[in-house]
Amino acid sequence: MNVRELQDEILKLKKEKNICILAHAYQRQDILDIADYVGDSFGLSQKAALVDNKIVIMCGVRFMAETVKILSPQKQVFLANPIAGCPMADQMDVDLISQLKESFKDYTVVAYINTTSELKTVCDVCVTSSSAVKIIKNIDNDKILFIPDCNLGDWIKKQVPDKEIKLVHGGCPTHLRISTRDVDKMRKAYPNAKLLVHPECLPEVVECADFVGSTTEIMSFAENGDNKEYIIGTENSIVEHLQFKCPDKIFVPLSKDCVCHNMQATTLADVYRCVSGIGGEEIVMSDELIASSRKCIDEMLRLGK
Ligand code: 13P
Ligand code: SF4
């Protein structure tokens, strides 16, 4: 089968079986084409709470499929490619955070949504890159312990200077590959371009940006902006997606190395096998794990309204 035929087959099976396909914006273009919803972590977690399909397939990484299952325990949720994880989500464990909570007793523990469901059980509130500032401002406590991304944490600290925000060392290995040398090089090559950067990048890179935002915020800034040229400081799939959406504008990656191999692990063939019932992995979680990890996601949805 060629790409078009495989896509048609997926669309046919999806309709017959009433399956909803969610795709993070970092997925490949051929997957975005057959998805019901495309978005950033926050958009997908909100959608997950609303769709009424009995089967949901997540094209993204494991914590995203777990989030869907936590919000819709009665649904069958599949991760299209079981090897797609998020290295940042696995950086911290329950023991470490439980110890930190002992040392910072009067702090609200805020977790980036890029964490395992086990870790969410010991956190108070979740945030995503697009909701973090608003949610932290809305928390009724001035003392915040933020895990696990200290780059995103640093950016939040600058937006919410009146709160005491403690960070724990961790971060996204993909966005960490971008340096200020890349900024100098690309600014020189594209002097008229706007530089759009994800807050998972190093603080010194974020400081150089014309705009800082989540993946969908970066995309809508570039799609709707008057500028003709954009340097994109996030996972490089976004460069291609923007080029498809706006063929008359010019999009270039800030660094050719900003590729998340976990996000790129899922292929159209994985999605086909998953809708056919012969691939993917069903997310199975105990009722206790779902109930206790759900509290901080519900808190995110409540404070993010
Ligand atoms: P957002 O989707 O919230 O922009 O996060 C980016 C990311 O790294 C997802 O894994
Ligand atoms: Fe995890 Fe970074 Fe990949 Fe997102 S881009 S899935 S945070 S490693």
Side-chain angles (χ1 to χ4, degrees):
M1 271 191 254
N2 63 29
V3 171
R4 183 75 58 84
E5 288 163 346
L6 203 52
Q7 287 176 324
D8 287 345
E9 205 52 39
I10 291 169
L11 291 172
K12 193 179 102 208
L13 286 165
K14 181 170 89 68
K15 200 167 170 205
E16 276 169 21
K17 298 184 179 183
N18 192 21
I19 296 173
C20 170
I21 300 182
L22 303 175
H24 188 271
Y26 291 165
Q27 295 293 293
R28 298 151 184 253
Q29 186 65 45
D30 54 4
I31 293 177
L32 301 194
D33 290 345
I34 50 88
D36 294 287
Y37 300 104
V38 176
D40 60 12
S41 312
F42 192 55
L44 291 180
S45 60
Q46 283 182 312
K47 276 285 174 278
L50 295 176
V51 297
D52 55 14
N53 308 71
K54 298 262 181 306
I55 305 172
V56 180
I57 295 176
M58 170 56 74
C59 305
V61 290
R62 185 167 292 271
F63 77 83
M64 296 178 175
E66 287 182 354
T67 308
V68 176
K69 182 68 184 175
I70 292 166
L71 287 167
S72 306
Q74 73 290 358
K75 289 176 192 155
Q76 268 191 299
V77 178
F78 291 87
L79 178 61
N81 184 337
I83 68 156
C86 168
M88 173 157 64
D90 296 324
Q91 278 166 355
M92 283 168 203
D93 61 16
V94 170
D95 285 351
L96 173 77
I97 301 308
S98 303
Q99 279 169 26
L100 283 166
K101 278 171 67 146
E102 279 301 304
S103 316
F104 297 98
K105 281 203 167 68
D106 49 347
Y107 283 67
T108 297
V109 182
V110 178
Y112 194 15
I113 198 153
N114 300 32
T115 41
T116 61
S117 46
E118 283 79 14
L119 204 64
K120 288 184 176 82
T121 64
V122 289
C123 298
D124 299 308
V125 190
C126 261
V127 297
T128 66
S129 51
S130 58
S131 67
V133 169
K134 181 178 183 185
I135 287 175
I136 289 181
K137 280 183 181 167
N138 285 346
I139 291 173
D140 192 17
N141 185 359
D142 284 347
K143 293 181 170 178
I144 307 288
L145 180 69
F146 183 76
I147 61 158
D149 188 341
C150 57
N151 295 329
L152 175 62
D154 183 87
W155 183 70
I156 298 166
K157 267 173 92 142
K158 288 171 181 151
Q159 316 298 307
V160 194
D162 46 322
K163 295 212 179 198
E164 186 188 320
I165 303 176
K166 293 240 181 285
L167 307 178
V168 184
H169 193 76
C172 163
T174 303
H175 288 84
L176 271 177
R177 292 188 200 122
I178 300 178
S179 72
T180 51
R181 260 180 302 147
D182 297 315
V183 174
D184 295 342
K185 193 172 124 198
M186 295 308 283
R187 284 273 200 211
K188 207 176 268 176
Y190 296 88
N192 300 318
K194 290 256 187 249
L195 174 61
L196 318 185
V197 165
H198 197 285
E200 287 176 14
C201 292
L202 288 165
E204 58 267 35
V205 173
V206 170
E207 263 165 37
C208 300
D210 297 307
F211 176 79
V212 182
S214 73
T215 47
T216 45
E217 287 169 339
I218 286 177
M219 287 184 84
S220 88
F221 186 97
E223 278 175 53
N224 302 319
D226 294 335
N227 226 60
K228 199 164 181 316
E229 298 177 8
Y230 296 88
I231 304 166
I232 305 298
T234 190
E235 215 283 336
N236 285 348
S237 55
I238 297 299
V239 178
E240 189 193 17
H241 302 330
L242 281 168
Q243 203 63 79
F244 270 108
K245 280 176 183 279
C246 310
D248 296 330
K249 292 182 176 177
I250 293 169
F251 302 98
V252 288
L254 178 50
S255 161
K256 64 177 171 35
D257 297 325
C258 194
V259 175
C260 177
H261 298 292
N262 280 277
M263 278 288 185
Q264 300 309 316
T266 304
T267 63
L268 197 61
D270 292 325
V271 185
Y272 172 70
R273 279 193 293 275
C274 202
V275 288
S276 306
I278 53 166
E281 180 187 319
E282 184 174 356
I283 302 294
V284 180
M285 294 166 72
S286 71
D287 292 346
E288 291 79 10
L289 181 57
I290 289 176
S292 71
S293 54
R294 185 178 174 131
K295 283 183 242 149
C296 70
I297 298 177
D298 281 341
E299 216 24 24
M300 167 178 86
L301 297 173
R302 186 182 73 81
L303 292 166
K305 269 187 192 140

